[in-house]
Each structure stands twice: as C-alpha cells, then as structure tokens.
Amino acid sequence: MSEGASSKQFRTEFRACNLCEAICGLTFKLNGETITGIRGDDDDPFSRGHICPKAVALKDIHEDPERLRTPIVRNGTEWHPIEWDDAFALVATQLAEIVREHGNDAVALYAGNPNVHNFGHLLNFPPVAKLVGSRNIFSASSVDQMPQQLVSYWMFGHQFLIPIPDIDHTDYFLILGGNPIASNGSMMTVPDVAKRLKAIQARGGQVVVVDPRRTETAEIASDHHFIRPGSDAAFLAALINTLREENLLQIADDDKLAGLDVALDAIKALTPEYVAVFTGIAADTTRSIARAFASAKSAIAYGRMGTATQAFGATNQWLIYLLNLVTGNLDRAGGVLPTNPVLPLTGPGTRAGGHGRWHSRVRKLPETNSEIPVAALAEEMLTPGEGQVRALFTTAGNPVLSTPNGNQLDRALAGLAFMVSVDIYINETTRHASIILPPTSALNHDHYDSVFNAFAVRNVTRFNKAIWPRAEYERYDWEIFAGIGSRLAALLEREYRTPRTVRDVVAAAAAHYPGVSFAQMMNAPHGIDLGPLAPSLFTRLQTADGKIQCAPPLLIADIARVEAAVESARNTPEALQLIGRRHVRSNNSWMHNSHRLVKGKARHQLLMHPADLASRKLSDGQTVTVTSRVGKVTIDVVASNELMPGVVSIPHGFGHQRVGVKQSVAAMHAGVSANDLTDETVVDSVSGNAVLNGVPVDISAV
Ligand SMILES: Nc1nc2c(c(=O)[nH]1)N[C@H]1C(S)=C(S)[C@@H](COP(=O)(O)OP(=O)(O)OC[C@H]3O[C@@H](n4cnc5c(=O)[nH]c(N)nc54)[C@H](O)[C@@H]3O)O[C@H]1N2
Ligand SMILES: Nc1nc2c(c(=O)[nH]1)N[C@H]1C(S)=C(S)[C@@H](COP(=O)(O)OP(=O)(O)OC[C@H]3O[C@@H](n4cnc5c(=O)[nH]c(N)nc54)[C@H](O)[C@@H]3O)O[C@H]1N2
Ligand code: SF4
Ligand SMILES: [Mo]
C-alpha cells in the first residue's frame, strides 16, 4: 500500500466494471485498502447507475485468499513459490529451448476472455506472441464471435467494422440467439439493457426473440418463437425471400453494393414453406415476422452466441447483415451502425483481418484473422510429427472448460513438455501449467475499454485510474509479458516491441478525436457521452473496391450445406440437441469462487422439456446420463417448459471437480462441463468456429 493511504482512509473511487461487455460505471466506497461498498455509478451518463450482482463480487475476487499473488511452479501436484525474476528467466529459457529445437510453431498460445477486458493485457500480449513467431495462435474468439469478425472482414473490409444495434432509436428489434437480460449484452455494449428494451416497447416498437429456449429476454419481449438449434440460416434466408417475393426490399446506395443479386439468387430455394420443418417455425409466422420487420420505421436483426457458435456461424452472420441491408437498416439510425470510438479499432494502422492464408497442421482448418480455431488445439498437441505443439502459453483463459471436448484437451495438456499460464487462479486448465504467473487484481491497474467503447450503442469514453497501486511483491499483466518478452528476445536474438501503457495509447488516440481531450477524460471519472451512433459505415469501408461485398464466395458456397441440412431434417427425425445458457450471477468459468454469487438455488442442472422426460420415462429431479460422440456426464435434470421439445440445456462454465471443489462451489454443486459433450470435430466449416449449440445427445437414467 502506498504512503498517504491513511490520510485518505475513507474515499470514493469511480471505475468501469471489467467483468462483462456492459462496462457499467461503479462507485467504490473504500476504507484504506478495504472495499466497504460497491454500487452503480448514477453519474455515468451511459450506465446510469445500473449494476448487476457480479460487480459486487469484484470485492470477493480482490480479497479472495485463493487468488494467486506471486508466481508458483509445479512439481507433480505440489506448487511452490518462486521469485519473479526467476520465474521470467525460467519461462524464457524453456520457451527458447523449445523454439530452437522444434521451431516457432511448437509453441501454441491461447488468450481467453478477460484479455479483452484489460487493455494493458491486450496491448502487451501480442508482442510476446509475435516474438515467438508461432502460427499456432488460439483464443476464445473461435468459441465465440469469430464468424462476425470474418463476415465483417469479407463484406466491409475490416474484422472490427461491426455495425451495432441502435437499440435506443429502433422500432423493431429481432434477437436471434442472444439473451441480453442474462448476459447484459454482447457485441453491443449496452448497460442497463432491460430499461432500453422496455423503452422500445414503450414507444410502440417490438422486441422479438427467436431462441430454442424461452429465455429471460424472451420473457420481457413482445414475442418469442422457438427455433431448432442450428437452423437460423434457413430462417434468415426465408425472411429475405419473403421480402423479395412480396416486393418489400428497400435497397439504397446501390452503387456501393457489389454482388447483391448473386447473394439473393443463391438463397432463393430457402422459402418459408421449404424450411419450416427444419426451423420448427411455421411458414406463416416467418412471413409475418418478415413483413413486420420491413414495415417498421427502423429495425435491427441481431444474432449472438446462439447464431455464432453453431454449425452455420458465418452464414448466419452474413444473412443477418443482408437482412439489415435489404430493408434499409444498415447504417441508419434505429438500425445497425458502427460506433465511432475515441480509440479506433479500424482504419489506418489497424489489423483488417484475413482468412485461409495458412492452415492448421493436422486438420487443415483455415486461419481466420491470424488465429487457428481452438477446436484444433488438442489435436495439434496429440498428433506427433513435424510441427507438433510441445509447449503452451495460456493467459486469462480456461480452455479445458471453455472449448469443445475439454476432456481431450485436459489429456493433451498433461503430455506437454512445458506450459506457462498467466492467471489469477489455479483453474481446470492452469493446473497443468509448469508455472503460473499471476497478474494483479484488475482494481490495481488503469482501466480503459478499448474494445467495448468501440462496440457501444452510443459513442462514449471513460478512463479510470487504478484504485490502488500494486503491492511491491505483485506484477501487472504487462510487466509479466515484458519480463518474459525481454528475456526471450535476448535468448532468441529477435526483435521485441517494448511495452506501451494504457495511458499513453489512450492519450495519443484522444489527441486525434474531435470534441474531447485526454485531459477532459482524466477529469471525468464517470465517463463522457459523445453522442448517438451516426451513419459512417459506407464512408469507412475498407474493401478493395470500396463497396460492400454482398456475395463472399465461401458464403455463397455454404448455402449448399444449409440446403443439405434442410433436406436431412425433412427426412430423418433428430436426436435431442444440447444448447448452453448463462445466468446473471455467473461469469464464464471463473467466478464460482464468490459465495455471494453462487449461494441460493443451484443453477447447474440439465433443463429438459416434460414431454422429453416422459417419453424416456424420466422424472424431474432425477440424475441422468447425457452422452454425446465425445463423452458422457452425469447430471441432475430439471423439468422445464422453457425449452423447445427436443432441446436440452446445460449452462456453460461449470465442471469444477477437476481442481477439487472449492468452498463456494461446494455449496451449489460443481456441476459438469458442457464442453465434455461438445465435439471438437464439428465446426462451422467456413469460419472454423466451434459448434457449442445443437450438439446431438442421448439421455438415459443412470
Ligand atoms: N459450451 C460452451 N462453451 C463456451 C461458451 C458457451 O456458451 N458454451 N462460451 C464461450 C465464450 S463466449 C467465451 S468468451 C469463452 C471463455 O473462455 P475462456 O476465456 O477460456 O475462459 P474464462 O472462463 O473466461 O476464463 C478466464 C480466466 O481468466 C482469468 N483472469 C481473470 N482476470 C484476469 C486478468 O486480469 N488477467 C489474467 N491474466 N487472467 C485473468 C480467470 O481467473 C480465468 O481463469 O468460453 C466459451 N465456451
Ligand atoms: N451473467 C453473465 N454474463 C455474461 C457472460 C456470462 O458468462 N455470464 N459471458 C459473457 C460473454 S463471454 C459473452 S460472449 C456473452 C454472450 O451473450 P449472449 O449471446 O447474449 O448470451 P447467451 O446466454 O450465450 O445466449 C445465447 C442464446 O442462444 C440460444 N441458442 C442456442 N442455440 C441456438 C440456435 O441454434 N439458434 C438460436 N437462435 N438461438 C440459440 C440460447 O438458448 C441462448 O439464449 O455474455 C457475456 N455476459
Ligand atoms: S452488467 Fe456487466 S459490466 Fe455491468 S455490473 Fe454487471 S458484470 Fe459489471
Ligand atoms: Mo464470450
């Protein structure tokens, strides 16, 4: 703790929450180093005082005695402390040896979700990856939003040129495969989403949810329609075909569009009538949704995890963009339009993206935006031969729980020559590390949301200083990367870009942004509102011809795969299909150590429709076995008519028995990992994204 703390014993600090994409402003009440209260920041113009239960758990994480503060090395199952300098030297020496002996690609790197919530991390991990020079770069993006980045790259010329729902001005919000009431929004930064959704309805508009589960969002929507997992592409194509057939297309900016006719012709067989058996949505319903969408003054089609992490992730995203485009809602108020952030993710000097420039060694999956799909990580370790992965660097991730066929990855990690993890916990993945280097608590570093300010439903900016400096014995993420990077660069005699601070990079960006200065930002701890989203997509396109590419060849080709799926559903009865879910009191795999969050009713169970239980002679509360191609789990079942018949659900992020059940988790059962059932061999063949939803399973009594 720094000098002067006692003179400032009781104080209040303001800071954006780093846990989810909503980036709510928080008010921290402090007594010295103790957090005495965390509340929503009423003066944040964007989040307006909104807070969810997870934010209060920031105190639990900060104070958790199980959170690591200094590096530890593993000897069998025992962990021993080690000095920082020795830790950096050990990691650099081991990595250098493997690179020298087996080549750059023998080291794989994986960055998980909190990376994106921590700008110091996001800035300073890539230089280490670049220094290693491996093509085996993986991240949580390929179990998440990679299809959206890929389709943005193809259609608009940049992976981060992402049109965001203008939720505050729309008249019709069609949500496919997203549950913002539980998730607080994703690929749209939207604090206080419940109020904003209700406001649509209050001004006479509609919120329509298409989801195999009647979710918390569906509960407050104007309408909800069940859809068979994995069938959204057919449904979206049927919406567009209805509009075309009924002369409801509204296409502006014709001269800025390339290939629209090709795209519309490619999907024309997918009529509402033809796809109804596959989607489970009656043709009349599809047609009336299409008409309502087209006749609304403004409308948004939006898809999230449910449309991204399934068999047709990329094609879904393409059809979502096309639906917005052909109804005149792309780049207009009340439709979808890109944010104009202080710190630009697009434009000169940023990474536009790419696809298929190289392929994974074993399965030959194409690279997307310089990453190999994480569904291929385990096989790259387990398959011998030239280029085999022998070492792994993970940071801010838990792929054993978050990527398909976690059991296989668990086994693969056990066989590595070396593994280093940068993480604040021993988790189901980092337990295999040879060494874990823990960064400080998030509250100890400056915070700026480089990513989420750029995907926000308004233009906003908010810079927050660290609440306390780190302790002398701690290190920031970026210091850990620098400690390893500088030593590795020396050993390999390679270039290494020295670390940059969040403060310097944000200040430099602010200098180029009209209407706000970094000095103003430093004096505005509640954040600054920079106005509503405004059309800019058409002037920001980064495609070679400056036009929107409506017909990317690999997406046109993928329609044949959609048609084959429609045909097969018409001919063969489907197995039960597994989907995931999220709960507002849980955050991916890593917040189950907060008793305050996990207490109360258990939330880890399998949900199943009563008719599906009855037909298998199972009953509510029974323990059942769920089997998929890759594995088998035993779990309690809860009868729920929230689910579409034929669909079952297990929440994502559970399954903590591998590390030994912690106290908080024990109170509400460790649960099982849905990814012990998901199949790493089944990916969206266009983007390589994992298929986490619509997994065929069998269920029987134990
Ligand atoms: N079946 C199924 N699988 C899924 C999903 C699903 O819905 N269903 N969802 C997918 C999605 S959307 C995502 S994003 C992924 C998430 O997958 P991952 O990112 O692999 O996993 P997390 O559970 O987010 O683990 C985050 C880790 O980061 C650590 N951490 C927290 N803060 C910091 C920090 O500041 N620095 C560092 N270095 N470490 C930190 C935590 O201790 C934790 O171990 O899971 C995906 N997997
Ligand atoms: N409380 C909480 N908030 C979170 C997280 C968390 O773990 N907990 N994680 C954060 C992260 S990393 C992310 S990426 C976001 C995710 O944010 P969201 O995508 O909004 O959240 P999910 O709950 O994964 O919603 C996916 C929905 O897709 C539905 N679905 C499944 N399969 C299909 C399908 O084939 N078609 C359609 N149409 N729907 C389908 C599911 O029933 C579910 O309702 O949430 C973020 N916020
Ligand atoms: S909604 Fe997300 S950002 Fe807001 S308080 Fe909860 S976890 Fe934090
Ligand atoms: Mo995510």
Side-chain angles (χ1 to χ4, degrees):
M1 189 59 220
S2 64
E3 296 284 314
S6 52
S7 61
K8 287 203 210 161
Q9 175 101 20
F10 296 99
R11 59 184 179 120
T12 303
E13 291 283 345
F14 304 98
R15 188 177 170 85
C17 179
N18 60 290
L19 292 173
C20 91
E21 297 175 43
I23 65 172
C24 301
L26 302 177
T27 302
F28 285 78
K29 293 281 177 199
L30 308 171
N31 176 1
E33 262 215 281
T34 308
I35 302 167
T36 54
I38 301 177
R39 294 200 321 263
D41 178 358
D42 293 328
D43 296 323
D44 181 320
F46 192 36
S47 66
R48 309 177 296 205
H50 179 72
I51 185 169
C52 87
K54 287 185 295 300
V56 185
L58 282 170
K59 172 179 166 71
D60 304 340
I61 299 168
H62 187 74
E63 293 170 0
D64 189 352
E66 285 189 43
R67 179 168 65 82
L68 304 172
R69 266 81 169 169
T70 51
I72 49 175
V73 281
R74 188 169 56 82
N75 183 358
T77 54
E78 307 239 302
W79 293 93
H80 302 284
I82 173 175
E83 293 295 326
W84 282 106
D85 276 344
D86 298 337
F88 297 147
L90 186 148
V91 174
T93 312
Q94 292 286 320
L95 291 178
E97 208 173 290
I98 287 166
V99 165
R100 275 199 214 101
E101 210 167 307
H102 301 285
N104 300 346
D105 294 342
V107 179
L109 300 100
Y110 174 90
N113 172 276
N115 168 40
V116 190
H117 293 266
N118 176 343
F119 191 30
H121 189 294
L122 201 57
L123 269 177
N124 294 305
F125 178 58
V128 176
K130 194 166 176 215
L131 164 63
V132 173
S134 173
R135 287 186 164 184
N136 282 311
I137 306 270
F138 303 84
S139 86
S141 292
S142 56
V143 278
D144 195 345
Q145 80 294 342
M146 196 57 110
Q148 190 160 8
Q149 286 175 237
L150 176 60
V151 176
S152 283
Y153 168 67
W154 275 337
M155 291 182 75
F156 311 136
H158 199 293
Q159 57 176 326
F160 298 126
L161 203 42
I162 291 181
I164 303 299
D166 188 11
I167 185 171
D168 291 339
H169 303 102
T170 197
D171 301 286
Y172 192 98
F173 196 179
L174 179 63
I175 302 178
L176 301 108
N179 185 12
I181 294 296
S183 69
N184 283 291
S186 182
M187 299 311 281
M188 64 166 172
T189 282
V190 55
D192 208 3
V193 67
K195 271 206 204 111
R196 294 178 201 260
L197 289 173
K198 285 178 191 148
I200 297 174
Q201 293 160 298
R203 59 179 180 262
Q206 292 191 61
V207 177
V208 177
V209 172
V210 175
D211 197 300
R213 182 175 151 242
R214 194 179 330 101
T215 59
E216 295 81 351
T217 307
E219 288 293 345
I220 67 154
S222 325
D223 253 318
H224 165 243
H225 305 280
F226 283 129
I227 187 167
R228 290 231 136 261
S231 71
D232 300 77
F235 171 68
L236 287 157
L239 291 177
I240 296 171
N241 283 323
T242 303
L243 300 177
R244 199 179 183 198
E245 204 182 292
E246 302 186 6
N247 280 321
L248 295 171
L249 301 182
Q250 298 168 46
I251 298 159
D253 293 305
D254 246 356
D255 56 325
K256 283 277 201 175
L257 308 178
L260 183 57
D261 290 339
V262 176
L264 294 177
D265 284 344
I267 63 174
K268 70 170 186 272
L270 297 165
T271 63
E273 289 71 21
Y274 178 55
V275 305
V277 172
F278 181 42
T279 61
I281 301 178
D284 284 352
T285 307
T286 303
R287 286 183 183 277
S288 63
I289 295 171
R291 288 175 201 131
F293 193 98
S295 63
K297 268 194 304 232
S298 63
I300 296 166
Y302 161 81
R304 208 34 299 269
M305 279 295 286
T307 50
T309 53
Q310 50 129 297
F312 299 101
T315 291
N316 287 335
Q317 192 55 50
W318 171 52
L319 294 169
I320 286 168
Y321 284 163
L322 280 184
L323 178 57
N324 287 320
L325 174 75
V326 299
T327 52
N329 286 297
L330 187 65
D331 209 29
R332 86 159 173 210
V336 296
L337 52 186
T339 308
N340 182 16
V342 169
L343 187 82
L345 301 185
T346 61
T350 59
R351 284 181 29 198
H355 180 77
R357 293 163 296 179
W358 57 89
H359 292 78
S360 69
R361 177 181 63 106
V362 179
R363 215 189 310 173
K364 311 280 177 254
L365 290 177
E367 147 279 336
T368 297
N369 301 328
S370 307
E371 291 186 23
I372 299 291
V374 72
L377 176 57
E379 71 201 22
E380 293 297 329
M381 298 172 179
L382 292 169
T383 313
E386 178 81 27
Q388 181 182 6
V389 169
R390 293 159 196 273
L392 177 67
F393 192 138
T394 76
T395 180
N398 192 4
V400 167
L401 291 195
S402 55
T403 70
N405 199 352
N407 267 324
Q408 179 186 246
L409 183 60
D410 202 20
R411 282 196 305 277
L413 298 183
L416 286 173
F418 180 69
M419 174 171 163
V420 48
S421 292
V422 178
D423 205 290
I424 53 179
Y425 285 110
I426 301 177
N427 67 24
E428 293 72 16
T429 303
T430 62
R431 76 190 182 104
H432 290 290
S434 324
I435 177 166
I436 306 177
L437 296 89
T440 67
S441 151
L443 306 182
N444 292 113
H445 56 69
D446 289 349
H447 185 73
Y448 190 77
D449 277 293
S450 58
V451 173
F452 303 110
N453 281 317
F455 297 150
V457 302
R458 288 185 69 84
N459 295 313
V460 290
T461 190
R462 180 173 174 145
F463 183 93
N464 290 121
K465 291 174 227 167
I467 292 184
W468 309 278
R470 66 163 173 76
E472 185 269 322
Y473 58 84
E474 294 177 314
R475 294 294 177 273
Y476 298 113
D477 296 79
W478 67 267
E479 289 178 299
I480 296 174
F481 299 134
I484 295 169
S486 55
R487 284 167 183 80
L488 185 58
L491 289 173
L492 293 175
E493 296 176 25
R494 291 183 184 174
E495 294 286 318
Y496 170 63
R497 194 200 75 197
T498 48
R500 290 187 290 172
T501 68
V502 170
R503 219 173 264 224
D504 289 348
V505 174
V506 177
H512 297 284
Y513 196 85
V516 71
S517 70
F518 188 59
Q520 280 171 310
M521 283 170 58
M522 290 292 274
N523 287 321
H526 308 289
I528 300 173
D529 183 65
L530 300 165
L533 303 183
S536 69
L537 178 67
F538 285 88
T539 55
R540 286 163 65 185
L541 295 171
Q542 289 185 235
T543 47
D545 61 2
K547 297 181 184 188
I548 293 182
Q549 306 302 303
C550 300
L554 293 179
L555 296 172
I556 297 289
D558 201 38
I559 290 300
R561 195 166 62 99
V562 179
E563 289 173 352
V566 174
E567 266 313 300
S568 122
R570 285 160 64 93
N571 299 323
T572 38
E574 299 206 16
L576 283 173
Q577 287 178 290
L578 175 70
I579 63 169
R581 65 179 188 272
R582 290 180 149 74
H583 192 279
V584 76
R585 303 180 71 88
S586 179
N587 190 31
N588 293 334
S589 76
W590 67 281
M591 288 187 65
H592 296 150
N593 225 25
S594 164
H595 180 69
R596 168 188 342 252
L597 289 183
V598 297
K599 71 183 179 196
K601 223 171 101 191
R603 292 182 284 268
H604 66 286
Q605 300 99 326
L606 175 80
L607 303 184
M608 189 167 182
H609 192 275
D612 289 324
L613 282 171
S615 64
R616 286 164 186 77
K617 301 196 165 39
L618 299 170
S619 49
D620 182 32
Q622 196 171 337
T623 305
V624 297
T625 303
V626 187
T627 314
S628 72
R629 186 196 72 82
V630 308
K632 187 189 266 197
V633 302
T634 301
I635 186 170
D636 297 342
V637 63
V638 171
S640 167
N641 56 20
E642 278 171 18
L643 267 297
M644 186 179 194
V647 179
V648 296
S649 164
I650 295 178
H652 151 62
F654 287 81
H656 301 296
Q657 58 293 94
R658 287 181 175 98
V659 279
V661 174
K662 294 176 181 156
Q663 204 187 343
S664 300
V665 173
M668 46 73 71
H669 313 293
V672 299
S673 174
N675 287 319
D676 288 343
L677 296 168
T678 54
D679 188 339
E680 87 288 3
T681 64
V682 183
V683 295
D684 167 21
S685 53
V686 178
S687 67
N689 215 42
V691 175
L692 308 172
N693 288 292
V695 178
V697 291
D698 282 327
I699 296 182
S700 56
V702 174

